[in-house]
């Protein structure tokens, strides 16, 4: 592998999918890479579903040596429910994977000593020919800093001032159910399908994803559902306040939903959803939720500091492209550093390509949300980062 001579050390802020895609790709290039992640320990494998797109599949297979057919659940068609439970079928092959499966493949590939969890980056500063990453009392000089600290990025402003993400006016309630816990007749309704229900200013979708330890054996998989529901700012505050009265503002993890909010969800499911989908909500012990955000930037690079993943563009999940976008950021950087004559030329070329792609996916997501009646074309209230 050849890389520009003026980059040898890389520091990555944030060790979720975006940070890990970059860590693995840049380690493949022979660079000296370290990742600092704020949270501690491995997230458990109840991670929800992700539609596997080409860059994620390519990354897992080329860089992690994973046979993607072994770790994903194939669907052969989309089925669109009507309110009375009838379906319209559209053939369309896709592969469904889980967040946990991607995360595990990336962590397994990265040498453990390169991943520093429970170590938040407290400050980041440009330096001649690189950047300085502060973690607690330590200052790490690197030739390249990759900012992958997510939609509420605390460091985005160093590259793209004013690029905060905004609440789009609706949330995704989500649920994951062990296939073994579903009545067989119900599970059969969703076999081999990516299922949808488009209602009045709402959308529900579901598909099977791998189960424990990435298993894709029928009967041991998980059903993953997502239900988009409009919620104004006060409703958002109510539904993200957990059963102990603690506010979480933009998301609520499994196991914490307040009993009244859970009851309201079941009542809404009864009045809104076709029966098989309603039953999925009823079989979900621990629904969780995420606010849908919009975020875009006009720069992804400030000299030797790069913005990637959700720290750069927060795109709506209808595009099924966030993990995909982060993987593509990393693959593009890998090739740019391999091919360009200097680090500056590589980083400039990378920014040009990824800015255009990010902006296009962002606009596509906003338009899809609008078409579904979930929000207007533009969002207003700034909520994060
Ligand atoms: C309803 C829904 C459905 C989705 N479906 C899909 C889909 O089908 N396909 C798809 O591709 N994507 C999907 N996504 C999106 C996807 O899960 C992520 O958005 C994507 O993986 C990008 O992640 P990221 O690493 O950039 O950011 P994040 O996952 O937010 O990670 C940021 C990390 O940075 C860490 N961090 C923050 N601050 C610091 C600090 N100061 N120091 C150190 N660490 C720090 C955080 O702890 C976190 O681990 C979906 C999202 C939603 C809400």
């Amino acid at each position: 592998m050849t890389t520009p001579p003026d980059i040898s050390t890389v520091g990555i802020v944030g060790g979720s999918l975006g940070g890990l895609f970059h860590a693995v790709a840049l380690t493949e290039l022979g660079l000296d890479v370290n990742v600092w992640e704020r949270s501690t320990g491995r997230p458990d494998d109840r991670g929800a579903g992700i539609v596997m797109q080409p860059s994620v599949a390519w990354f897992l297979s080329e860089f992690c040596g994973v046979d993607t057919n072994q770790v994903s659940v194939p669907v052969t068609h989309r089925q669109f429910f009507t309110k009375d439970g009838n379906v319209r079928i559209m053939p369309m092959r896709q592969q469904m994977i889980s967040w946990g499966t991607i995360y595990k493949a990336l962590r397994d590939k990265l040498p453990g000593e390169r991943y520093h969890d429970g170590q938040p980056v407290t400050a980041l500063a440009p330096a001649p020919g690189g950047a300085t990453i502060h973690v607690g009392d330590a200052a790490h000089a690197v030739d390249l800093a990759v900012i992958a600290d997510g939609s509420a990025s605390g460091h985005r402003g160093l590259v793209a001032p004013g690029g905060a993400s905004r609440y789009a006016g609706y949330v995704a309630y989500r649920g994951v159910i062990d296939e073994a816990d579903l009545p067989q007749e119900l599970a059969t309704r969703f076999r081999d399908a990516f299922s949808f229900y488009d209602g009045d200013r709402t959308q529900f979708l579901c598909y099977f994803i791998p189960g424990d330890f990435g298993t894709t054996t029928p009967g041991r998989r998980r059903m993953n559902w997502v239900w988009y529901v409009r919620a104004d700012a006060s409703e958002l505050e109510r539904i993200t306040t957990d059963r102990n009265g603690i506010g979480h503002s933009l998301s609520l993890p499994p196991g914490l939903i307040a009993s009244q909010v859970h009851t309201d969800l079941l009542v809404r499911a009864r009045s809104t959803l076709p029966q098989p989908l309603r039953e999925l909500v009823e079989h979900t012990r621990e629904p969780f939720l995420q606010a849908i955000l919009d975020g875009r930037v006009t720069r992804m690079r400030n000299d030797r500091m790069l913005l990637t993943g959700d720290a750069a563009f927060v795109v709506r999940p209808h595009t099924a492209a966030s993990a995909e976008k982060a993987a593509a950021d990393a693959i593009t950087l890998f090739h740019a550093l391999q091919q360009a004559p200097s680090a500056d030329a590589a980083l400039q070329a990378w920014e040009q390509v990824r800015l255009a792609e990010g902006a296009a996916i962002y606009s596509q997501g906003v338009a899809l949300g609008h078409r579904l009646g979930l929000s207007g074309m533009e969002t207003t209230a700034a909520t994060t980062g």
Side-chain angles (χ1 to χ4, degrees), residues 13-19 36-39 49-51 99 119-121 148-151 155 172 174 207 226 228 290 292 308-311 317 320-324 326:
V13 185
S16 181
L17 299 191
W36 286 278
E37 164 57 41
R38 176 177 62 185
S39 60
I50 284 188
V51 181
W99 188 96
Q119 298 197 32
V121 170
D149 56 355
S151 59
H155 303 285
R174 308 191 73 173
Y207 49 86
V226 182
Y228 299 108
Q290 287 160 300
I292 304 304
T308 184
D310 286 7
S322 301
E324 172 69 6

Side-chain angles (χ1 to χ4, degrees), residues 98-279:
S98 70
W99 188 96
T101 304
I102 302 175
Y103 178 86
K104 182 174 181 317
L106 297 171
R107 282 298 306 270
D108 285 352
K109 183 67 185 172
L110 190 70
E113 70 274 12
R114 297 301 178 149
Y115 191 90
H116 313 282
D117 64 346
Q119 298 197 32
V121 170
T122 43
L124 176 65
T132 308
I133 296 180
H134 296 265
V135 182
D137 292 337
H140 304 273
V142 292
D143 300 326
L144 180 68
V146 177
I147 304 171
D149 56 355
S151 59
S153 172
H155 303 285
R156 181 191 283 124
L158 285 168
V159 173
S165 49
R166 296 156 184 264
Y167 178 51
Y170 58 106
V171 300
Y173 282 99
R174 308 191 73 173
V176 181
I177 315 162
D178 287 343
E179 190 175 0
D181 292 342
L182 287 177
Q184 207 172 359
E185 202 182 318
L186 183 61
T188 305
R189 298 287 311 253
F190 304 109
R191 185 180 295 157
D192 303 329
F194 189 176
S195 304
F196 292 85
Y197 170 65
D198 290 348
D200 178 19
R201 296 185 296 174
T202 191
Q203 186 189 50
F204 189 103
L205 59 91
C206 63
Y207 49 86
F208 281 112
I209 59 171
D212 268 335
F213 312 112
T215 180
T216 55
T217 308
R220 296 173 57 199
R221 304 170 300 184
R222 292 192 180 118
M223 167 54 67
N224 166 80
W225 60 262
V226 182
W227 186 8
Y228 299 108
V229 174
R230 287 165 64 107
D232 64 18
S234 67
E235 175 68 352
L236 178 66
E237 189 181 341
R238 185 183 81 85
I239 62 184
T240 54
T241 299
D242 72 21
R243 57 179 51 173
N244 304 311
I246 297 168
H248 294 255
S249 84
L250 293 173
S251 66
L252 194 68
L256 288 181
I257 192 166
S259 67
Q260 186 58 52
V261 176
H262 195 177
T263 303
D264 293 347
L265 185 69
L266 294 169
V267 169
R268 188 196 284 262
R270 248 167 259 140
S271 66
T272 312
L273 298 176
Q275 192 186 348
L277 308 181
R278 178 195 323 160
E279 286 183 38

